[in-house]
Amino acid sequence: YNCRHNQDMLRNVDIPVDGPKKDTQTRTKTKSEQPKELMQSSVPPLRTGLHILLSCTSFSYGCFTLREWAIVAIRNALKDNARNQQIVAELEALQAVDTPELYKMGLKVDLDKQGKVQVKTEKHQPDIS
């Protein structure tokens, strides 16, 4: 907590992504840093520890406390670290994730054409079990 070195390590440590590979892999960069030809290529980018930490918020089924600890860790990684905050602010959603809990509450998550997340209410029959 409050360790600038650890915060920066999360951003600077590259973690490879599985998938089809060509000659080289490129490090994931924000939209402003990455050339257009790399964003459109089929070469999977490398992620950083910060990306992995952010992805831990969606693994709540295997370990019910993982999401909560990931949120605490994200707070610690972003606190007083403008570069990490900028990277998170520039991320784009690739897909919307609907969960059974959202469905039960009558909510549906979608992405609009600009990649912005929208939460919509949906009418469905209540589960009587």
Side-chain angles (χ1 to χ4, degrees), residues 78-92:
L78 300 181
K79 184 175 181 180
D80 299 327
N81 191 311
R83 184 68 183 116
N84 285 357
Q85 292 172 11
Q86 178 187 3
I87 288 172
V88 172
E90 291 180 357
L91 290 175
E92 292 182 9

Side-chain angles (χ1 to χ4, degrees), residues 76-123:
N76 293 343
L78 300 181
K79 184 175 181 180
D80 299 327
N81 191 311
R83 184 68 183 116
N84 285 357
Q85 292 172 11
Q86 178 187 3
I87 288 172
V88 172
E90 291 180 357
L91 290 175
E92 292 182 9
L94 298 177
Q95 71 181 42
V97 178
D98 281 319
T99 64
E101 292 81 10
L102 289 172
Y103 178 78
K104 288 177 185 176
M105 293 188 303
L107 300 174
K108 179 164 179 56
V109 180
D110 283 321
L111 292 178
D112 66 10
K113 292 177 183 175
Q114 289 81 29
K116 302 282 185 184
V117 177
Q118 294 184 344
V119 179
K120 301 176 182 177
T121 57
E122 233 183 38
K123 293 184 179 182

Side-chain angles (χ1 to χ4, degrees), residues 6-129:
N6 289 344
Q7 289 175 322
D8 292 339
M9 274 185 33
L10 276 173
R11 184 182 64 247
N12 295 325
V13 173
D14 290 332
I15 299 167
V17 177
D18 290 335
K21 295 177 177 88
K22 287 192 178 179
D23 295 337
T24 61
Q25 290 187 337
T26 58
R27 182 187 158 126
T28 299
K29 296 182 179 180
T30 60
K31 290 190 301 185
S32 59
E33 295 175 333
Q34 195 165 11
K36 268 192 175 177
E37 62 272 4
L38 291 179
M39 289 191 298
Q40 296 171 353
S41 78
S42 63
V43 177
L46 291 172
R47 295 184 293 179
T48 67
L50 190 56
H51 294 99
I52 299 300
L53 187 58
L54 290 166
S55 70
C56 287
T57 60
S58 64
F59 298 140
S60 61
Y61 298 109
C63 176
F64 66 93
T65 59
L66 179 61
R67 181 176 184 270
E68 285 71 24
W69 282 113
I71 291 169
V72 170
I74 291 166
R75 183 208 59 192
N76 293 343
L78 300 181
K79 184 175 181 180
D80 299 327
N81 191 311
R83 184 68 183 116
N84 285 357
Q85 292 172 11
Q86 178 187 3
I87 288 172
V88 172
E90 291 180 357
L91 290 175
E92 292 182 9
L94 298 177
Q95 71 181 42
V97 178
D98 281 319
T99 64
E101 292 81 10
L102 289 172
Y103 178 78
K104 288 177 185 176
M105 293 188 303
L107 300 174
K108 179 164 179 56
V109 180
D110 283 321
L111 292 178
D112 66 10
K113 292 177 183 175
Q114 289 81 29
K116 302 282 185 184
V117 177
Q118 294 184 344
V119 179
K120 301 176 182 177
T121 57
E122 233 183 38
K123 293 184 179 182
H124 64 274
Q125 298 296 324
D127 190 13
I128 311 178
S129 52

